[in-house]
Amino acid sequence: MTLIDHPTVPAPAEACEASTAAATTAPPDWRALLTAEIERTSISDVARRVGCARTAISMVLADKYPAKPDRIIARVLDLLTQVQCPHLGQSIAPADCATHALGAPPTHSTTAADHWRACQRCLHRPADRPAAARGTANPVVA
């Protein structure tokens, strides 16, 4: 029995397909975003901003990264999928946008309250959380 015929050891082609499948579990546009940013700047600049080695970025793009690329892909998406906040006048991460827009109205600061009010009518505002998650659900009492 050869190594390739062994049922528990995947053939080299199958192993390559498995790493490609793992890399494609992220949103489909991460690769296009990363490639465009590399063409705009450089792979070294993108790697520095993402916080990893240049070779790691290269290996992720080539589907040859030896580990799961999920962390690097998440960092790339955090870096390259920014939302232009009209209230702040700067780019922020989508998670920060959602935190401001979907959080409870702040009562500690007028500046924070102004920001929250601007988020309520912003075009970038993410979809609402369910009422139960906001803590405003009105249970039906029989």
Side-chain angles (χ1 to χ4, degrees):
M1 181 179 278
T2 66
L3 181 62
I4 294 178
D5 294 334
H6 195 277
T8 59
V9 177
E14 292 171 1
C16 182
E17 290 170 10
S19 68
T20 303
T24 57
T25 58
D29 61 344
W30 73 267
R31 191 179 304 273
L33 288 169
L34 181 57
T35 303
E37 187 65 12
I38 289 170
E39 289 174 0
R40 191 180 73 77
T41 59
S42 70
I43 193 167
S44 297
D45 181 57
V46 171
R48 181 186 51 76
R49 291 174 25 218
V50 168
C52 64
R54 183 197 59 76
T55 53
I57 297 291
S58 179
M59 290 169 71
V60 167
L61 277 174
D63 289 327
K64 295 184 179 185
Y65 194 67
K68 288 179 70 173
D70 297 343
R71 287 185 180 170
I72 293 176
I73 292 169
R75 289 180 183 175
V76 166
L77 289 172
D78 283 344
L79 174 69
L80 300 178
T81 57
Q82 299 289 307
V83 175
Q84 183 64 29
C85 177
H87 179 76
L88 296 175
Q90 64 186 20
S91 294
I92 61 172
D96 293 336
C97 179
T99 299
H100 287 294
L102 302 178
T107 58
H108 65 283
S109 164
T110 57
T111 304
D114 289 343
H115 186 176
W116 182 86
R117 276 193 296 276
C119 290
Q120 301 313 299
R121 55 185 181 273
C122 182
L123 296 175
H124 301 296
R125 185 175 193 272
D128 281 335
R129 294 178 294 170
R134 288 193 306 264
T136 59
N138 294 327
V140 176
V141 179

